[in-house]
Amino acid sequence: MTQADKARTSAPQRVCKPVSSLVARKVLAGIILFGTIAVPHGIANTTGSTPHFNMRAQTTCEAKMLSRIDAHEVLSGKAYDVMTDVALAYGRPIPHVYIFPDGWNMAYLAASTAVDGRGKIVVGQQAIELFDSVALRGFIGHEMAHLVSDSAAQGCNDYILRDLRMEADADALAARTLGKQSIKAFLQQILALTDGQNSEAKRRLEMLQ
């Protein structure tokens, strides 16, 4: 199997599946994958929580999700260094960075910023290996755009659907914050890994112009 074939088989689907879907084709609640989940427009104040936010349920759900996909937090290395740079550009605290062993998807845990103001981003090990530093910065920057826009109106257990417009909005926010180069590099790398077959990445590149 070629690298492109492997990338196609691990490429994210159009419909979001709640956390275990990364390993078991099962809906993966609360995790936002490339091209799948919607978040509110604008940058929300994520230092507090919504009136109906259940902190205990959120933290319990997060722990179960991270354990299910065998994700572990890192405090150094390529992904952490890029995340530190991206967080600085956004003027935000550095999110917790978790690495999981399967796939090249990247995601954030919905409402995780309401727990401690930092939030959690999950990175597939293959993304670290397949994306150069510029493209990885764009990929992480895109997820950071979703994280800073998360109002915690939907939590870890919620089923969320993200559409093209929302993805393009996150691309635009990331481009304004980091510059277009890294966001374009990220989308171009998606196309390269899928032999140009990812129509969403094509459209988002066009919308980024």
Side-chain angles (χ1 to χ4, degrees), residues 42-151:
I43 298 176
N45 177 6
T46 55
T47 58
S49 58
T50 60
H52 304 294
F53 185 77
N54 187 321
M55 184 71 73
R56 179 176 293 180
Q58 176 73 19
T59 54
T60 298
C61 177
E62 288 182 6
K64 288 180 178 178
M65 289 169 64
L66 292 167
S67 175
R68 192 175 301 135
I69 62 173
D70 196 25
H72 63 280
E73 186 172 7
V74 296
L75 299 173
S76 62
K78 182 179 177 181
Y80 184 83
D81 290 344
V82 173
M83 184 74 261
T84 300
D85 174 65
V86 168
L88 180 63
Y90 275 91
R92 303 279 299 196
I94 303 168
H96 300 277
V97 181
Y98 288 83
I99 306 297
F100 68 92
D102 297 318
W104 51 268
N105 266 316
M106 196 175 300
Y108 79 90
L109 271 66
S112 58
T113 50
V115 175
D116 63 1
R118 292 175 60 185
K120 297 176 178 66
I121 287 181
V122 187
V123 182
Q125 181 63 43
Q126 290 180 33
I128 300 171
E129 298 167 358
L130 295 173
F131 287 70
D132 64 26
S133 294
V134 176
L136 187 64
R137 186 171 187 261
F139 205 167
I140 288 177
H142 172 89
E143 289 306 322
M144 188 72 175
H146 284 303
L147 185 148
V148 302
S149 302
D150 187 355
S151 67

Side-chain angles (χ1 to χ4, degrees), residues 6 9 24 27 34 37-38 48 54-55 70 135 137 157 162 181 192:
K6 290 179 180 178
T9 59
V27 176
F34 171 79
I37 299 185
N54 187 321
M55 184 71 73
D70 196 25
R137 186 171 187 261
N157 280 313
R162 192 161 72 190
Q181 180 186 6

Side-chain angles (χ1 to χ4, degrees), residues 1-14 25 34 103-105 126 130-131 189-199:
M1 182 180 286
T2 68
Q3 188 180 78
D5 289 334
K6 290 179 180 178
R8 276 195 297 273
T9 59
S10 65
Q13 304 298 308
R14 256 324 263 172
R25 306 181 82 100
F34 171 79
W104 51 268
N105 266 316
Q126 290 180 33
L130 295 173
F131 287 70
Q189 183 67 18
I190 295 292
L191 285 174
L193 289 170
T194 57
D195 287 341
Q197 299 304 304
N198 191 306
S199 59

